[in-house]
Amino acid sequence: MTPEQLQGDRWIACLHPADRQRTLEAWQTAIRTQTLYEVEYRMQQGRTGAYRWFLARGMPRKDNQGTILHWFGTCTDIEDRKQAEQQLKASEENWRVLAETLPQLVMVARPNNQNEYTNQRWRDYIGFTVEQTQSDRWAYLQFIHPDDREGARAHRQHAQDTGEMYEHEERLRNSQTGTYRWFLTRAMPVYDEAGQLVKWFGTCTDIDEQKRTEQRLKESEENWQTLAETVPQLVWRVQPDSWVDYVNQRACDYGQTTREQLLGHGWHYLLHPDDKERERVTLDHAFRTGIPYEVEFRLREGQTGCYRWFLTRGMPVCDETGQVIKWFGTCTDIEEQKRAEQQLKESEENLRVLAETVPQLVWTTRADNRLDYCNQRYCEYTHAAFEQLQGHGWRQFLHPEEAEGILALRHQTLETGEPFESECRLRNGQTGEYRWFLARGTPVRDETGQIVRWFGTNTDIEDQKRIEEALRQSQERIRALIDSNIIGIVSVEGEEEVLVEANEAFLHLTGYTQEDMRSKTLNRVKITPPEHASFFERAIQEVNARGQHTPLETEVICKDGSRLPVLVGSVIFQERPRQTISFVLDNSARKELEQRKDAFISMASHELKTPLTALKLQTALLHRQLAKQGIPASAPALSNMEGQINKVTRLVDELLDVSKIQAGRLEYLQETVNLDALLREITETMQQTSPSHRIVVRGIVETSLIGDRDRLGQVFINLISNAIKYSPDAKTVEMDLSASEDAVTIQVRDHGLGIPREQCDKIFDRFYRVTDPKQKAIHGLGMGLYIVAEIVKRHRGTITVDSEVGKGSTFTVTLPRKRDA
Ligand code: ADP
C-alpha cells in the first residue's frame, strides 16, 4: 500500500473485520480522553493476505495549553507472542478438561501445601472450596479418617522435606454421607527449569472396593484354612507341578508324621504300593488336561500301620486366563463304605445263590418297576432269555385276565412303597399253559429310607389252588349235606368239644336253638350221659388215630332234660384248631325194638325154662326106670337125649343171663372163693368131656377172693370151652395163673384161628361173632363173652384179648384180690 492509501481513516480497512469496531472505539476514546491509546488487533499483510497480530500504541503530543498537536504511534508485531499465549491456554484448557474427566479426585497445590486447583469431583467429595483449604495448610487432615491422619501427616512431611513423591492409602470422608472410603492418594512434585519446586499434582484414587476385596480374600483364605482344618477329610493343595504345598493337620495325624514330611512329594510314602501306578496315571492325566479327577487308593495309617481306602478328589483352580494355578483336593476315608460294598457284594452273591436254589421264581426290579434280575427258574418256566424278561418284558407272560389288575397294583405299591401280595397266572413258555402263582414283592430301602429296589418271588400255587378248589367243593357238598337236614349234624371245636354249629335236624332232635350254638355254651360233656364218658373216651382215641370213629350208640341229653337214644359218628374236619363234625341219628326206634326183643328173649327163655326142667326130670326118671327094668341097650340114646337137653338148658340159661344183664338184674353172691380149687375142678371136669385137647394148667394163685363162685366158674368154663372150640386143629389149651400183691391174673391161651385185630374189642358185645367164614362154621350165638365180660366187670376185674389170626388167642382176666366192702 502506498502512504496515501493509508491516510485518514482508510487504514482501518487493513484490520481484521472482527477487530475494526473495537479498534475504532479505543482510538476515539483515546482522542476524547487525550490519554494513551493502546490496542491489539490483526492486520492484513498486503502481500500474502494473511493477518498478523499487532500491538498499536499512540501517544498524544500537546502544547502548553494542553491541546494535542500530534499523535505518535507504533505498531509492534506480536504475532509470535499471541500464538504462544494461545497454545498455553489451549493446553491449560485440555489439562482441566482431563482433570475434570478423570475418575479420581484431582488437586494441584502450591509448595506450601495450599490448594491451587481442585476438580469438581474433589470438591463434591471433600466438600471444601479451594479457598477454604487455602486458609490452613493442614486443613485437609480434617477429612482423613482419624486413624489414618497421623500416617498421612508423616508421609506428607516426608515428601515435602525430601521432595519425593507422596503415596499413602487413607480413608477420606465423603462430605455428603459422612462415611469414609479408602483412597490411594498420590502427589507428584513439579519443578521449574531452575530446579525449584513449584507445585504438587495430586490424585486420590478410590480403592475401597479393592480394599474390601482384599479383606474378603484375606478372610476367605483364613476361612478356607479353618475349614480345611475342620473337615473330616485329609485336605491338601498342590501346585501345577504336583508339588504339595499344604496339608491339613488331620493328614499329619493320620500319617503320624509332620507337615514338612508330607509336603512336596513326601506324602507318597503313605500310598499303598499296589495303588501307586493307578494314582500316577490319574494325576498325570488330570494335570495335563486340567480336568477335575477322582481316584481311590489306600493310605497307611501311621498308628496301626494298616492301610485304609480313601476317595481322593482333585479340583483345579484357574486364574482369569484359564491357567491352572493350583489344585485343591480332599481324601475321604471310604474304608467302611468299601467294606460295606464288599459285604453287599458278597451278600448279593449269596442272595443270587439262594435265589437260584429256592423253588420259586425270584426277581428284582429297580425302583421304577423295571425288572433287572430273575433267576434261572424264571427263565426256564417262561422259556425265555433274561433279555426277553428284563424291563417290562415279563409282562407278556401275565394272563390277560389279571394283567391289568396286577399292573395297577404295582403302580399303586410303587407310590405307597407297601409290600404287596397277589395271585396271578403266568404262562409256561413251553406248553403255553397258565399256572397260578402267588406273587410277593417287598421294597428294599437305603439308609435314607429311599426305595432302591423291589425284591420278589412268585410261588407256584397251582396245586394249592386245585386243592383249595377241591376243598371248596367238598365244603360245598358238606354244606349241602348239613343243609339237607336228613340227619343231625353238629360241629364241635377244640379240646373242650364246644358245639359251635348245628343244622336244623340236630336242633329239631334235641330241642336246642341256634342261639345255644352261637353262645358256645354247650359242650359234648354237657349233652351226653356221664355213664357213657368211657365210650366217648374210646371214640376220641379212635378219632385221633384214624380221623373218625365207628358209630357209637349213646344218648343225647336234650334241652328239656330228656334222653334221646342216638347213633353218633364223628370225623375230623380240621386239625388245628381241632374241629370235628358229628352225625347224629335218632336211634330211639331201634332201641325200642331192641327192648322189645330183649323182653321177648327174656319171656321166651322163661317160657322155655319150665318145660325144659320138666323134660329133664322126666328123662332122669325114664333113665332110672329103664335101668330098673334092665334095658341098658337104650341107655346111649337116652344119654344122648340128656346131652341135648343139657345144651338147650345151657343156652336158655345164657339167654336168661343176657336178659338179666340187660335189665340189670343179674345177681351175685358174696362168698369166699378158693380160686385154685375152683380152677382145678373146672379143668378136670372139662378135660373129661373134651378129650380132643389137653388142658395144661401152670402156676397157682394161692389166694381166695370174695365173689360169686358159680359166676366166676362160668367165666373160666366159657373161656376154656371157646379156646377148645376155636382151635379145632390144636392139641393143647393152656392156662397160666399168677398173682401180685393186689391182683390175680388168669390167662387162657389157645393155638387156634385167632381174631382179626379190629374185631378184638367187639367180641365182648352182645351177640357179636367174628365174621371170618372159618369161625362162622363153628356154632355159637355170641353170648358167652358178653356174659363173661359182665361178670368180670362186676367183680371189678378186667378182661382183654391178645390175638393173631392163624396163630391163636390169649384171654387175660385180672381180678382184684380184695374186694372193697
Ligand atoms: P360164641 O357162642 O359165638 O362162641 P362168644 O361170646 O363166646 O360166643 O364168643 C364171641 C365170638 O368170639 C365167637 O363167635 C368167636 O368168633 C370169637 N371167639 C371167642 N373166643 C375165641 C377164641 N378162643 N378163638 C377165636 N375166636 C374166639
Side-chain angles (χ1 to χ4, degrees):
M1 264 187 194
T2 60
E4 290 76 32
Q5 282 177 301
L6 293 172
Q7 271 177 4
D9 289 341
R10 273 182 284 176
W11 58 274
I12 293 285
C14 294
L15 302 190
H16 192 283
D19 301 336
R20 285 177 192 163
Q21 184 63 30
R22 183 169 51 87
T23 307
L24 269 178
E25 279 169 13
W27 178 231
Q28 281 157 10
T29 310
I31 292 172
R32 200 175 58 245
T33 59
Q34 302 187 345
T35 52
L36 181 76
Y37 154 71
E38 193 175 88
V39 66
E40 288 177 358
Y41 52 67
R42 280 158 290 181
M43 195 158 48
Q44 198 168 30
Q45 199 174 25
R47 192 166 36 89
T48 60
Y51 290 92
R52 288 180 72 83
W53 278 98
F54 286 86
L55 170 66
R57 277 179 156 205
M59 196 77 121
R61 182 133 172 254
K62 300 174 192 171
D63 60 13
N64 296 339
Q65 275 80 45
T67 310
I68 296 174
L69 299 175
H70 310 286
W71 284 85
F72 289 101
T74 56
C75 284
T76 316
D77 186 329
I78 57 163
E79 180 63 27
D80 291 345
R81 197 199 84 203
K82 268 281 179 191
Q83 268 183 25
E85 266 179 22
Q86 196 65 42
Q87 272 168 11
L88 184 69
K89 209 176 138 214
S91 111
E92 282 246 321
E93 204 54 48
N94 283 348
W95 182 84
R96 274 181 202 239
V97 171
L98 182 69
E100 292 299 336
T101 329
L102 283 178
Q104 282 106 327
L105 317 185
V106 179
M107 47 101 189
V108 179
R110 299 197 183 103
N112 67 359
N113 236 346
Q114 285 180 347
N115 279 0
E116 188 183 277
Y117 162 81
T118 52
N119 69 351
Q120 188 60 44
R121 205 177 292 279
W122 193 95
R123 292 191 295 277
D124 288 348
Y125 188 86
I126 303 292
F128 274 45
T129 62
V130 175
E131 292 69 32
Q132 276 173 305
T133 62
Q134 281 171 354
S135 56
D136 175 5
R137 63 189 286 254
W138 293 112
Y140 75 95
L141 285 177
Q142 295 170 37
F143 49 76
I144 295 181
H145 192 282
D147 292 354
D148 303 335
R149 269 180 210 164
E150 200 37 55
R153 185 205 291 274
H155 267 76
R156 235 164 245 226
Q157 194 63 57
H158 177 77
Q160 270 178 4
D161 295 349
T162 59
E164 283 171 13
M165 193 176 96
Y166 168 88
E167 195 172 282
H168 187 234
E169 287 179 2
E170 51 205 20
R171 277 162 286 179
L172 302 181
R173 195 181 60 231
N174 182 323
S175 62
Q176 268 149 38
T177 62
T179 55
Y180 288 91
R181 290 177 72 80
W182 277 101
F183 282 85
L184 169 66
T185 304
R186 271 205 180 112
M188 198 74 135
V190 180
Y191 300 94
D192 64 7
E193 304 88 71
Q196 198 65 36
L197 175 77
V198 285
K199 281 180 189 162
W200 289 95
F201 274 95
T203 56
C204 305
T205 310
D206 188 329
I207 54 163
D208 205 68
E209 264 322 304
Q210 189 184 326
K211 272 276 179 187
R212 271 174 221 262
T213 313
E214 267 171 27
Q215 184 61 30
R216 278 204 297 270
L217 191 68
K218 204 170 136 236
E219 281 169 11
S220 102
E221 181 73 12
E222 274 167 15
N223 286 347
W224 179 81
Q225 296 252 355
T226 315
L227 187 71
E229 293 300 337
T230 326
V231 292
Q233 283 109 327
L234 318 185
V235 181
W236 45 263
R237 188 174 59 200
V238 67
Q239 290 167 9
D241 60 358
S242 81
W243 182 267
V244 175
D245 64 2
Y246 167 83
V247 288
N248 68 350
Q249 187 56 38
R250 198 175 292 276
C252 306
D253 294 347
Y254 181 78
Q256 291 271 298
T257 178
T258 63
R259 196 161 291 201
E260 288 64 40
Q261 263 185 297
L262 292 180
L263 293 180
H265 297 297
W267 68 276
H268 273 119
Y269 88 101
L270 294 179
L271 202 56
H272 193 288
D274 293 353
D275 300 338
K276 280 192 172 154
E277 181 58 16
R278 192 173 56 252
E279 190 266 352
R280 195 189 59 75
V281 171
T282 314
L283 254 72
D284 277 359
H285 179 260
F287 278 56
R288 220 175 34 249
T289 58
I291 297 172
Y293 70 91
E294 255 186 41
V295 62
E296 289 180 0
F297 50 60
R298 281 158 290 180
L299 291 178
R300 200 179 66 231
E301 196 176 23
Q303 198 173 12
T304 59
C306 299
Y307 285 91
R308 292 177 72 84
W309 276 101
F310 281 85
L311 167 67
T312 298
R313 285 207 175 95
M315 194 69 143
V317 179
C318 303
D319 62 11
E320 317 72 79
T321 68
Q323 195 68 27
V324 176
I325 46 172
K326 54 190 126 176
W327 288 80
F328 279 99
T330 54
C331 302
T332 311
D333 189 329
I334 51 163
E335 181 66 23
E336 295 304 321
Q337 188 184 326
K338 273 268 173 188
R339 260 189 229 160
E341 267 170 26
Q342 185 61 27
Q343 275 167 7
L344 188 71
K345 222 178 116 208
E346 279 166 20
S347 91
E348 288 234 326
E349 204 53 48
N350 288 345
L351 191 71
R352 297 233 155 170
V353 173
L354 185 71
E356 293 301 340
T357 327
V358 293
Q360 281 107 329
L361 315 187
V362 180
W363 50 263
T364 63
T365 69
R366 299 193 321 221
D368 62 359
N369 199 25
R370 289 178 161 274
L371 187 133
D372 62 356
Y373 164 78
C374 67
N375 66 351
Q376 186 57 28
R377 203 174 292 276
Y378 206 133
C379 296
E380 278 164 15
Y381 181 78
T382 52
H383 207 63
F386 170 69
E387 288 68 33
Q388 293 167 273
L389 297 168
Q390 69 178 351
H392 293 315
W394 59 276
R395 291 182 178 175
Q396 60 185 300
F397 293 95
L398 283 174
H399 194 284
E401 277 176 31
E402 284 103 35
E404 211 172 297
I406 288 281
L407 298 182
L409 174 74
R410 275 307 280 135
H411 196 70
Q412 186 196 332
T413 51
L414 281 183
E415 274 176 17
T416 61
E418 295 284 321
F420 68 90
E421 206 178 278
S422 86
E423 291 180 354
C424 60
R425 277 167 289 179
L426 286 180
R427 194 173 71 239
N428 180 321
Q430 200 161 18
T431 63
E433 281 168 15
Y434 284 91
R435 286 180 74 84
W436 277 101
F437 282 84
L438 171 67
R440 279 208 185 98
T442 314
V444 183
R445 295 169 191 273
D446 63 12
E447 44 309 342
T448 68
Q450 197 70 26
I451 294 177
V452 285
R453 302 181 105 176
W454 286 81
F455 180 86
T457 55
N458 296 349
T459 310
D460 189 330
I461 51 164
E462 179 70 23
D463 296 341
Q464 190 183 326
K465 273 266 175 189
R466 290 219 181 121
I467 292 167
E468 268 173 24
E469 178 57 22
L471 189 69
R472 196 186 57 75
Q473 283 179 5
S474 89
Q475 273 175 341
E476 255 174 30
R477 279 188 220 123
I478 287 175
R479 186 40 50 201
L481 179 67
I482 291 174
D483 293 344
S484 69
N485 286 325
I486 298 166
I487 52 173
I489 296 174
V490 60
S491 170
V492 177
E493 244 179 38
E495 298 298 318
E496 292 79 31
E497 299 175 86
V498 179
L499 279 60
V500 291
E501 203 191 335
N503 67 352
E504 287 304 324
F506 178 83
L507 300 177
H508 184 73
L509 279 179
T510 58
Y512 293 111
T513 62
Q514 287 295 4
E515 187 43 48
D516 293 327
M517 298 299 137
R518 272 195 292 274
S519 65
K520 300 193 177 171
T521 45
L522 291 177
N523 63 10
R524 202 264 304 151
V525 174
K526 269 193 195 165
I527 64 158
T528 54
E531 65 268 25
H532 287 192
S534 61
F535 300 163
F536 280 100
E537 257 163 46
R538 236 181 302 151
I540 287 168
Q541 279 169 11
E542 209 180 328
V543 165
N544 288 342
R546 300 195 295 123
Q548 63 184 69
H549 71 84
T550 34
L552 177 72
E553 274 186 24
T554 179
E555 288 171 349
V556 169
I557 303 171
C558 299
K559 184 151 186 161
D560 61 6
S562 65
R563 289 182 172 205
L564 175 74
V566 288
L567 192 65
V568 178
S570 308
V571 288
I572 290 192
F573 188 59
Q574 184 183 293
E575 268 303 344
R576 233 166 261 124
R578 164 71 76 93
Q579 193 176 352
T580 49
I581 288 197
S582 297
F583 304 91
V584 182
L585 264 179
D586 184 347
N587 207 21
S588 46
R590 214 182 110 197
K591 272 282 158 191
E592 200 191 308
L593 209 64
E594 235 170 59
Q595 271 163 10
R596 259 191 269 155
K597 188 181 75 191
D598 286 342
F600 167 77
I601 289 170
S602 161
M603 195 180 65
S605 38
H606 275 291
E607 290 301 316
L608 284 171
K609 187 83 184 165
T610 323
L612 258 182
T613 317
L615 207 60
K616 217 173 168 182
L617 278 172
Q618 280 170 16
T619 321
L621 200 65
L622 194 62
H623 205 265
R624 267 201 308 265
Q625 278 176 357
L626 285 175
K628 252 190 224 162
Q629 288 166 14
I631 315 171
S634 59
L638 206 58
S639 47
N640 196 15
M641 205 164 114
E642 271 178 340
Q644 294 298 334
I645 290 170
N646 279 344
K647 254 191 193 170
V648 177
T649 310
R650 213 170 48 240
L651 203 72
V652 171
D653 282 344
E654 279 191 351
L655 270 173
L656 270 174
D657 282 349
V658 168
S659 57
K660 276 185 198 156
I661 292 169
Q662 279 301 105
R665 282 191 280 103
L666 194 62
E667 281 146 19
Y668 296 90
L669 292 177
Q670 295 277 338
E671 54 194 341
T672 306
V673 183
N674 183 331
L675 210 53
D676 289 317
L678 174 66
L679 291 174
R680 213 176 312 118
E681 197 178 300
I682 290 170
T683 46
E684 275 168 14
T685 318
M686 292 196 74
Q687 186 64 81
Q688 280 173 14
T689 50
S690 313
S692 59
H693 290 70
R694 195 158 62 84
I695 303 172
V696 183
V697 181
R698 292 186 287 235
I700 47 167
V701 290
E702 265 188 317
T703 192
S704 299
L705 299 170
I706 307 285
D708 190 317
R709 191 175 192 277
D710 287 347
R711 290 287 180 207
L712 285 172
Q714 206 179 339
V715 168
F716 299 107
I717 290 166
N718 243 306
L719 291 178
I720 294 169
S721 59
N722 272 351
I724 293 167
K725 189 160 79 169
Y726 294 105
S727 64
D729 300 329
K731 294 277 171 285
T732 58
V733 165
E734 291 128 37
M735 185 144 78
D736 286 297
L737 315 178
S738 62
S740 71
E741 214 174 289
D742 303 327
V744 294
T745 305
I746 302 100
Q747 288 191 316
V748 180
R749 176 174 296 115
D750 66 62
H751 305 282
L753 303 174
I755 308 155
R757 187 170 300 275
E758 67 280 4
Q759 298 186 36
C760 280
D761 274 355
K762 295 186 186 155
I763 55 174
F764 298 102
D765 289 351
R766 191 160 54 124
F767 308 129
Y768 188 88
R769 302 206 69 225
V770 171
T771 48
D772 186 81
K774 272 192 201 154
Q775 296 237 17
K776 278 265 164 82
I778 298 164
H779 293 289
L781 284 176
M783 289 189 290
L785 286 180
Y786 174 70
I787 298 164
V788 164
E790 178 67 20
I791 296 168
V792 171
K793 197 169 110 188
R794 292 297 292 265
H795 283 82
R796 309 225 162 170
T798 58
I799 176 162
T800 56
V801 60
D802 189 17
S803 180
E804 201 176 328
V805 175
K807 290 252 169 95
S809 316
T810 304
F811 285 82
T812 305
V813 176
T814 309
L815 295 166
R817 277 172 88 152
K818 282 188 191 124
R819 288 185 60 196
D820 298 343

